[in-house]
Amino acid sequence: MTFVITTPLYYVNDKPHLGSVYTTIICDSIARYKRLVGEDVLFITGVDEHGLKIQRKANEMGIEPKSHCDEISKVFNTNWENWDISFDKFIRTSSNNHKLIVNEFYERVKSSDDIYMGVQKGWYCVGCEEFKDNPENSSTYKCPIHQKNLEWKNEENLFFRLSKYQKEIEEIINQPSFIEPIERRNEIINFVAKGLKDFSISRTNVSWGIPVPDHDKHTFYVWFDALLGYVSAMNSDTKDNSLEKSINKGWPADIHLIGKDILRFHAVYWPAMLISADMKVPKKVLGHGFLTREGQKMGKSLGNVLDPDLLLSKYGNDPVRWYLIKDISLGNDGDFQDKRFVDIINNDLANTIGNLLNRTSSMSRKWFDNKVPNNEKILGENKLKFYAKNAVKNYIQHFNIYKLDLAANEVLSLAINTNLYLNNNQPWVLIKEKDNLPLVKEIIYNVLESTRIIGLLLLPLVPELSSKINEQLGSIYKEEIPWEQQLSWGILVSNSILPKPNPIINKLEYE
Ligand code: MSP
């Protein structure tokens, strides 16, 4: 069984912003965790290239949509490599391979008698690529997400019979595990309860899209096209892709991780489209909140957009990952505050974890000939062993239900307790009495061992930092041995060499 996890396919109107980095980091962390617990993971990301929004952007730039998309897609791909994102597939919706899937899917939906020609009238937000539910004074109403006026549309379009699937969709969204967190589920339940309306799946005024067979001038509506990117990505390496081949690679997706603004598409429209094509619906739609900056919405007009490239070059990958994962509860909105960011990194990573390792390793090297002490009580019970066991248990429970912030906090608590244990036991005082030597060996071993477990638990969250901790302890993590097995107490080898300590993370300065 393959575990399939997806990010949204990002619009290529601009380079990645902090919101897209956030979603992708969370997905990456889940994908890494699932691999560590032994799942066969397929992590899909990619770009959404068609539609009016992209067509207009290319026009503004005075270039062909295709060249514009080539350029920005490359930026996305390289960007995820720079962030060390462990994606398996990067799908482009302008690829031929994807076009084959869209056409085949359309034929299936058509043969279910779910397509008809109608007239679409309404107020449209080009930024969202979505008709809005008739807000008051629509001509002056600004889309709250894009801060732009809506546009009036009145054209002949092909429609998909969404209304036919009212009952099926109600059943799906009422399953507690389908939409998470619960606040997101309630939003959708209320929306569906108002009655589902058919939606248009083609456009006549957009040339930058996949042509609809037998309907001159019609291209597929960008969302109809883009959602299918998840399916084409499953088997994107072949030239002769087909629905059956993609499905055989492990469809349905286990998790679509998305922001709350695109929940309806994923939790309502998409499952109905899939049922119509006789395909399985995704197992879970995980909707995260929005990021703000110092309490304000981020936007170009406000001039407060946080450039992820700048963050990466200034602070590095792990600090940003740690902040976004640990400080924001998935599902809630989160605020990026510069001072809070610096404080959290310095407290959690540099002081609580980094210093703990550094000073304990230095003591051990100084007193025990550059080695891990020979602890004769590895098998006995001790406070730290108890804390570590609990932290591991809770961490796994939290991760399994995608509470990544709580999992990260478990690691931090273990590090705090380990510092307390060290400070309460004061081995630097005990070492002065020769008789205390066995006790000092036990204390130092326990702290190093707890640090080893902290490092391992950090692996899916902050991989670089985790591997630095591992190196500092003599590279004892073995990829070929199950990760969970290595989380048990007592694996650090007595008398093994401890490399010279190096700070694993530098303190950040607040400017
Ligand atoms: N192209 C569509 C998705 C199609 S999926 C088949 C799209 N793209 S997007 O680039 O506009 O948005 C991608 C993701 O970024 C969405 O999940 C959206 O919620 C998220 N975010 C956009 N701004 C955000 C914040 N300020 N904060 C957090 N996430 C945000 O929608």
Side-chain angles (χ1 to χ4, degrees):
M1 282 269 281
T2 307
F3 181 89
V4 181
I5 180 162
T6 68
T7 71
L9 306 184
Y10 301 108
Y11 285 130
V12 290
N13 57 318
D14 219 335
K15 60 182 201 156
H17 51 68
L18 194 65
S20 26
V21 169
Y22 175 58
T23 324
T24 311
I25 284 177
I26 302 289
C27 266
D28 180 67
S29 198
I30 298 176
R32 285 175 189 268
Y33 172 76
K34 289 287 174 182
R35 289 189 195 106
L36 288 170
V37 296
E39 302 245 16
D40 172 25
V41 173
L42 191 70
F43 172 10
I44 292 171
T45 188
V47 282
D48 181 356
E49 303 180 285
H50 290 132
L52 192 53
K53 175 174 169 137
I54 310 300
Q55 185 177 308
R56 280 193 185 161
K57 177 74 189 191
N59 285 348
E60 268 169 37
M61 315 273 295
I63 47 175
E64 284 301 309
K66 176 78 173 80
S67 331
H68 168 77
C69 290
D70 287 348
E71 190 187 316
I72 306 286
S73 300
K74 213 181 270 162
V75 173
F76 268 91
N77 202 320
T78 318
N79 182 68
W80 300 142
E81 278 163 12
N82 293 344
W83 283 94
D84 196 20
I85 300 298
S86 62
F87 61 92
D88 301 297
K89 300 276 182 184
F90 183 92
I91 179 74
R92 293 187 57 180
T93 57
S94 65
S95 63
N96 190 48
N97 177 299
H98 171 68
K99 191 173 150 193
L100 293 173
I101 293 290
V102 173
N103 285 341
E104 193 185 342
F105 187 88
Y106 171 67
E107 290 307 325
R108 282 209 195 181
V109 173
K110 215 168 75 176
S111 58
S112 298
D113 192 24
D114 285 338
I115 303 289
Y116 64 92
M117 189 65 87
V119 173
Q120 172 80 63
K121 285 187 197 166
W123 290 101
Y124 194 73
C125 170
V126 179
C128 297
E129 292 279 17
E130 184 181 18
F131 280 98
K132 299 290 173 178
D133 323 327
N134 298 325
E136 282 171 41
N137 297 324
S138 301
S139 57
T140 52
Y141 173 88
K142 285 198 180 353
C143 160
I145 297 170
H146 296 94
Q147 301 296 327
K148 287 206 179 121
N149 287 353
L150 304 183
E151 297 179 22
W152 176 251
K153 303 266 175 216
N154 177 359
E155 60 177 49
E156 213 178 38
N157 287 165
L158 289 165
F159 278 73
F160 171 71
R161 280 187 219 283
L162 179 64
S163 55
K164 182 170 138 187
Y165 296 98
Q166 177 82 30
K167 258 190 86 187
E168 281 97 328
I169 295 299
E170 278 172 6
E171 267 168 35
I172 293 171
I173 61 176
N174 275 305
Q175 292 162 13
S177 61
F178 182 65
I179 304 171
E180 280 182 291
I182 184 139
E183 301 81 2
R184 299 279 104 83
R185 179 158 81 240
N186 293 340
E187 271 166 47
I188 291 295
I189 289 177
N190 292 338
F191 169 70
V192 174
K194 288 190 211 139
L196 293 175
K197 297 193 190 87
D198 298 348
F199 72 97
S200 60
I201 61 140
S202 75
R203 296 288 182 267
T204 49
N205 62 348
V206 184
S207 55
W208 179 236
I210 300 177
V212 179
D214 307 324
H215 289 279
D216 269 4
K217 292 206 210 116
H218 286 250
T219 53
F220 284 108
Y221 168 43
V222 59
W223 270 100
F224 185 84
D225 156 353
L227 286 161
L228 280 160
Y230 296 137
V231 177
S232 34
M234 304 280 307
N235 190 38
S236 59
D237 306 331
T238 54
K239 283 216 168 91
D240 56 344
N241 205 1
S242 72
L243 277 178
E244 212 44 49
K245 284 183 191 160
S246 270
I247 292 168
N248 288 341
K249 293 278 176 169
W251 189 259
D254 289 78
I255 299 182
H256 289 315
L257 181 70
I258 52 159
K260 60 182 180 180
D261 53 327
I262 55 174
L263 195 59
R264 278 185 200 176
F265 288 103
H266 286 81
V268 181
Y269 296 18
W270 181 223
M273 284 163 57
L274 288 163
I275 300 169
S276 166
D278 196 21
M279 284 174 66
K280 289 197 175 140
V281 302
K283 293 186 196 150
K284 187 187 292 302
V285 179
L286 205 53
H288 66 70
F290 258 49
L291 294 180
T292 49
R293 171 104 197 262
E294 311 287 348
Q296 274 193 313
K297 196 178 158 357
M298 268 185 272
K300 281 190 189 148
S301 48
L302 289 166
N304 65 348
V305 178
L306 198 49
D307 180 358
D309 282 347
L310 222 69
L311 271 184
L312 183 62
S313 57
K314 198 163 157 196
Y315 300 119
N317 191 349
D318 282 337
V320 181
R321 285 179 74 108
W322 180 254
Y323 183 84
L324 294 178
I325 295 173
K326 184 225 146 190
D327 206 47
I328 300 168
S329 157
L330 197 67
N332 293 347
D333 289 345
D335 196 29
F336 196 101
Q337 297 169 5
D338 293 359
K339 172 133 184 13
R340 188 169 169 78
F341 171 74
V342 169
D343 288 347
I344 283 185
I345 299 313
N346 288 347
N347 282 331
D348 299 357
L349 302 185
N351 292 341
T352 309
I353 298 176
N355 258 350
L356 172 72
L357 171 62
N358 208 289
R359 64 184 175 134
T360 316
S361 166
S362 303
M363 285 186 274
S364 193
R365 282 171 51 89
K366 184 167 158 205
W367 300 333
F368 307 112
D369 191 22
N370 298 333
K371 289 181 182 153
V372 173
N374 180 16
N375 174 23
E376 282 165 8
K377 291 201 176 155
I378 294 181
L379 296 176
E381 290 306 314
N382 70 74
K383 245 188 183 167
L384 271 191
K385 182 175 175 180
F386 172 79
Y387 288 142
K389 222 170 142 181
N390 261 331
V392 168
K393 191 180 92 206
N394 296 339
Y395 171 101
I396 287 180
Q397 267 173 9
H398 293 315
F399 229 122
N400 285 345
I401 52 168
Y402 310 113
K403 303 266 183 212
L404 274 66
D405 58 321
L406 299 184
N409 274 301
E410 276 305 325
V411 191
L412 188 63
S413 300
L414 177 58
I416 292 170
N417 280 325
T418 311
N419 273 296
L420 276 176
Y421 171 91
L422 186 65
N423 293 344
N424 290 342
N425 282 299
Q426 303 198 329
W428 50 89
V429 176
L430 295 173
I431 193 80
K432 292 177 185 154
E433 290 282 337
K434 217 176 160 215
D435 291 353
N436 288 334
L437 200 60
L439 184 58
V440 174
K441 285 181 174 173
E442 188 189 341
I443 295 164
I444 296 290
Y445 178 92
N446 287 344
V447 174
L448 289 174
E449 177 61 352
S450 182
T451 318
R452 182 189 68 83
I453 292 173
I454 290 167
L456 272 193
L457 292 175
L458 290 176
L459 194 49
L461 304 169
V462 279
E464 262 174 60
L465 190 73
S466 166
S467 66
K468 282 186 190 156
I469 296 176
N470 181 42
E471 275 164 33
Q472 291 284 286
L473 291 170
S475 304
I476 32 182
Y477 171 60
K478 300 273 173 287
E479 269 183 39
E480 61 280 12
I481 300 175
W483 174 77
E484 275 178 283
Q485 201 174 309
Q486 297 181 70
L487 289 171
S488 44
W489 187 267
I491 289 183
L492 193 64
V493 182
S494 286
N495 288 326
S496 58
I497 294 283
L498 273 179
K500 210 165 171 215
N502 255 327
I504 51 168
I505 186 147
N506 293 324
K507 276 201 162 189
L508 306 181
E509 295 284 337
Y510 177 60
E511 287 159 14

